[in-house]
Amino acid sequence: MTLCAPPRPIVSRIRSTRFVLYRRQFPAVTVWDGPPFCKGQSERHSSSKSPIALLKLTPLPQTLKQKAAEVVHSDLPSGTAVTVNGWIRTIRKHKKYAFVNITDGSYDKVLQLVFADPEQVNDLRVGVSLEVNGTIQRRDNLTDPYEILVDNYDVIGGVPEDEPYPLQNKYLSQDYLRRELPTIRFRSLSSGVTMRFRSRAVSEVSRYFEENEFIQAHPPLITSSDCEGAGEVFSVVSESSVTPFFGKKGYLTVSTQLHLEALMMGLSRVWTLTPAFRAEKSITSRHLSEFWMLEAEVAFVNRLEHIMSLVEGLLRTTLRRLKESGELHSVLSVKTFLEKQKLQDGEGEDKDQEITHAQVLQRWDGMLQDSPWKRITYKHAVDVLQQAEREGKARFETSAEYGDNLKSEHEKWLASQYAHGPIFVTQYPSQLKPFYMLPTPGSNGETVECFDMLVPDLGEIVGGSLREYDYKRLKATIERVGMDSSELEWYADLRKWGSVPHGGFGMGLERLISYLVGIYNIRDVIAFPRWVDHCVC
């Protein structure tokens, strides 16, 4: 019997005066008790004696975003009875009316509740959660499509009367929200729009991989080896066991690449998005001890350009779709509002640098430029940096030297001043890179087929390479760099049974999100950041 999938959601763009909204229309939630109707099968199934039974399931309460889409798309008239839920963001009392703005976090807008009697809001406070019954009042000529004339409401959850609500209607810096309000900050405009953007970005990444026939994998987070060989790992131990719990040492993964390669050897194209852990005692704005790593491995590729084009295609497509769906508009709207709020409140400089509305647009324009992103070898990059310093076009704290890692200042300059957008730096010296990378043909092992992708203001956000696929050469490299070959025997053995040329990449999700939404510190684009000496809640 041939089965077909249920219909895909229809995405429609809804426009009204100063209001752009994207609405996903899904079929009613049902459970099929019989074969689905597919093209070419309708006639056969419709004549069947057994009717198709549909079991309707209870829908969830609508979010404010869904309700707004329904009002605009379905032309619900004024006077239509509705029920909405949310948290109070602001309260304004006037002589004849009171206005309460609520939000539920589903999007960046608020819903205005209108109380005909101002005395009705006397017991309400900012932060209280409500269930409200009322009627729609359309506002066709204003920014928001409608408001609710309140009939009655129930307080779901109150707030302490003797304590001020932590999120007052004033400018609060990212640093303050992170340090002082680590759990409630998600109700703030800035944290809310960032978490929603992150969620949609992950959805679009998943969509791109699915369209290109990649299989999502779930490799382990506990490993028996250090993938990078740098020693910056967290050990996993059992407090109740004297001997090693796994029979040998276990570590939290720094990268799932090695296990992805094993999966790739049977599935050809695999990807994952998983936590990664690095015991780096770094307190910079670019590092976390726990972060999310997007990784992919591809079989039957023998050119580095294959992997770089995969990365460029993934990011260009994801950004274009995020822009078309209105996610960029939401980010910029919130950023503009916060910039004005900061000026009005007379706040000084934040501890973290501010990235403006215009700078965010510039970043997106660079990523979506018409021409392909630049490619440049490591040797050429060092030559360019040295020449720029000689000619007085750049001043670096540390001069670029062949054989040394590029510093953050070098990476930023190459992307900002040389490429004016993203740039791939390829073929680094082999001593600077991990053991598993394929030597560059004709280099006598001096360089490897790898790349770092750099962007302006931030530096590296993606690293990738072709992998060594010859068993004997890989074993020789492991021994040469002094790693424990017994811990990597399973990995090397992948090359013994029908090995193929392959490659892949890894990208830190937080670095990408911080770059796209214009947040300086990556600790502010992950829900609960962990770094050295810091593990709150």
Side-chain angles (χ1 to χ4, degrees):
M1 180 177 66
T2 303
L3 298 179
C4 69
R8 294 180 65 86
I10 302 168
V11 181
S12 58
R13 191 176 189 186
I14 305 160
R15 288 185 177 274
S16 66
T17 308
R18 299 184 184 177
F19 187 81
V20 180
L21 191 64
Y22 290 78
R23 179 173 186 260
R24 287 183 171 232
Q25 300 174 27
F26 289 88
V29 181
T30 57
V31 175
W32 274 260
D33 184 20
F37 284 90
C38 304
K39 187 176 181 181
Q41 294 182 313
S42 310
E43 194 173 308
R44 176 162 58 89
H45 288 313
S46 62
S47 61
S48 172
K49 294 181 180 180
S50 302
I52 295 175
L54 298 180
L55 175 63
K56 292 186 178 180
L57 304 180
T58 303
L60 294 171
Q62 280 188 312
T63 66
L64 295 186
K65 182 178 180 181
Q66 290 173 323
K67 180 59 68 177
E70 183 182 20
V71 170
V72 175
H73 183 76
S74 303
D75 261 347
L76 291 181
S78 293
T80 302
V82 293
T83 299
V84 295
N85 301 279
W87 292 281
I88 296 178
R89 178 165 284 173
T90 61
I91 300 173
R92 292 171 291 131
K93 289 183 66 175
H94 298 277
K95 288 184 178 180
K96 296 183 178 180
Y97 295 95
F99 301 95
V100 173
N101 285 343
I102 64 170
T103 178
D104 67 352
S106 60
Y107 70 151
D108 56 301
K109 295 182 180 295
V110 295
L111 172 61
Q112 180 165 281
L113 308 178
V114 182
F115 291 81
D117 181 2
E119 300 301 315
Q120 288 181 287
V121 304
N122 285 346
D123 296 329
L124 295 181
R125 300 189 67 202
V126 172
V128 164
S129 56
L130 298 174
E131 179 181 82
V132 179
N133 298 303
T135 54
I136 291 173
Q137 303 299 309
R138 296 189 65 90
R139 308 169 70 198
D140 294 332
N141 296 322
L142 298 176
T143 303
D144 299 316
Y146 77 112
E147 61 189 11
I148 300 294
L149 182 60
V150 177
D151 292 329
N152 57 76
Y153 67 85
D154 290 319
V155 173
I156 302 172
V159 297
E161 295 184 2
D162 56 346
E163 297 180 35
Y165 185 62
L167 287 173
Q168 293 297 315
N169 188 28
K170 64 178 184 178
Y171 178 78
L172 299 173
S173 70
Q174 295 286 348
D175 178 65
Y176 177 84
L177 290 170
R178 183 198 330 126
R179 286 186 296 104
E180 303 298 330
L181 306 173
T183 56
I184 204 172
R185 65 181 176 135
F186 308 113
R187 292 193 199 176
S188 70
L189 274 173
S190 56
S191 294
V193 75
T194 300
M195 292 297 109
R196 289 188 294 271
F197 181 91
R198 177 180 173 129
S199 174
R200 187 59 183 269
V202 170
S203 295
E204 293 299 351
V205 165
S206 178
R207 176 183 171 189
Y208 181 85
F209 279 125
E210 183 179 1
E211 290 171 346
N212 286 276
E213 301 298 331
F214 278 75
I215 295 171
Q216 185 175 10
H218 302 93
L221 299 184
I222 298 177
T223 70
S224 59
S225 59
D226 176 5
C227 171
E228 301 292 333
E232 296 171 333
V233 295
F234 290 101
S235 296
V236 178
V237 297
S238 170
E239 293 183 355
S240 62
S241 177
V242 177
T243 59
F245 184 85
F246 300 104
K248 57 182 177 180
K249 290 183 178 179
Y251 309 97
L252 291 179
T253 185
V254 299
S255 167
T256 63
Q257 178 201 316
L258 305 190
H259 293 91
L260 272 187
E261 286 188 60
L263 288 157
M264 173 273 304
M265 284 294 187
L267 301 173
S268 286
R269 299 180 181 184
V270 293
W271 77 281
T272 190
L273 178 61
T274 55
F277 307 86
R278 299 195 180 175
E280 296 176 311
K281 293 187 177 181
S282 174
I283 56 172
T284 74
S285 61
R286 302 171 60 201
H287 293 88
L288 288 165
S289 297
E290 178 187 5
F291 59 98
W292 286 76
M293 179 80 86
L294 173 67
E295 297 179 277
E297 293 292 323
V298 189
F300 305 105
V301 293
N302 53 19
R303 293 175 54 209
L304 191 61
E305 182 57 42
H306 286 131
I307 307 301
M308 291 189 291
S309 292
L310 171 63
V311 171
E312 184 168 353
L314 166 67
L315 291 176
R316 280 182 177 273
T317 304
T318 297
L319 265 66
R320 176 176 55 79
R321 288 171 172 171
L322 288 171
K323 189 174 182 179
E324 290 173 352
S325 66
E327 298 302 321
L328 175 59
H329 174 76
S330 294
V331 167
L332 295 177
S333 296
V334 169
K335 187 167 282 291
T336 299
F337 175 82
L338 293 176
E339 288 172 1
K340 292 179 180 178
Q341 191 179 51
K342 182 180 179 183
L343 288 174
Q344 291 171 355
D345 293 345
E347 294 290 333
E349 290 297 317
D350 290 339
K351 185 177 180 180
D352 293 333
Q353 298 178 20
E354 287 291 329
I355 297 160
T356 65
H357 178 292
Q359 288 173 308
V360 173
L361 273 178
Q362 188 177 28
R363 290 178 176 186
W364 282 68
D365 289 343
M367 297 280 276
L368 294 172
Q369 61 186 268
D370 293 334
S371 57
W373 298 344
K374 289 185 181 297
R375 276 81 162 149
I376 184 175
T377 65
Y378 166 87
K379 184 179 184 305
H380 190 188
V382 172
D383 291 341
V384 167
L385 291 165
Q386 290 177 342
Q387 182 179 356
E389 199 164 24
R390 285 196 304 271
E391 295 176 355
K393 296 179 180 178
R395 294 183 64 183
F396 303 118
E397 291 184 8
T398 304
S399 296
E401 298 291 342
Y402 190 86
D404 292 342
N405 274 311
L406 297 180
K407 307 298 183 185
S408 177
E409 58 180 336
H410 302 147
E411 294 176 344
K412 293 176 182 178
W413 190 90
L414 285 168
S416 301
Q417 304 303 316
Y418 177 75
H420 305 291
I423 180 173
F424 292 97
V425 179
T426 68
Q427 297 180 351
Y428 282 73
S430 56
Q431 71 267 21
L432 299 180
K433 293 298 181 179
F435 70 96
Y436 50 72
M437 294 187 177
L438 183 71
T440 303
S443 72
N444 198 28
E446 290 187 6
T447 62
V448 287
E449 288 294 88
C450 68
F451 67 84
D452 283 348
M453 184 199 135
L454 318 176
V455 293
D457 307 323
L458 184 61
E460 184 228 338
I461 61 171
V462 186
S465 75
L466 296 182
R467 319 307 193 190
E468 176 58 79
Y469 60 94
D470 182 88
Y471 176 76
K472 292 181 179 179
R473 288 200 302 259
L474 180 61
K475 289 282 286 185
T477 300
I478 291 173
E479 293 176 5
R480 177 173 54 81
V481 299
M483 298 183 71
D484 186 352
S485 60
S486 64
E487 296 293 342
L488 292 167
E489 193 65 41
W490 67 271
Y491 176 70
D493 281 354
L494 294 172
R495 278 79 178 160
K496 291 172 65 175
W497 311 103
S499 183
V500 298
H502 60 283
F505 70 88
M507 174 171 58
L509 179 65
E510 284 74 25
R511 287 192 183 184
L512 175 67
I513 299 300
S514 69
Y515 185 74
L516 296 179
V517 301
I519 290 180
Y520 175 73
N521 198 319
I522 65 172
R523 298 170 192 164
D524 299 319
V525 299
I526 188 171
F528 300 99
R530 306 320 194 188
W531 68 94
V532 62
D533 296 327
H534 187 93
C535 187
V536 176
C537 61

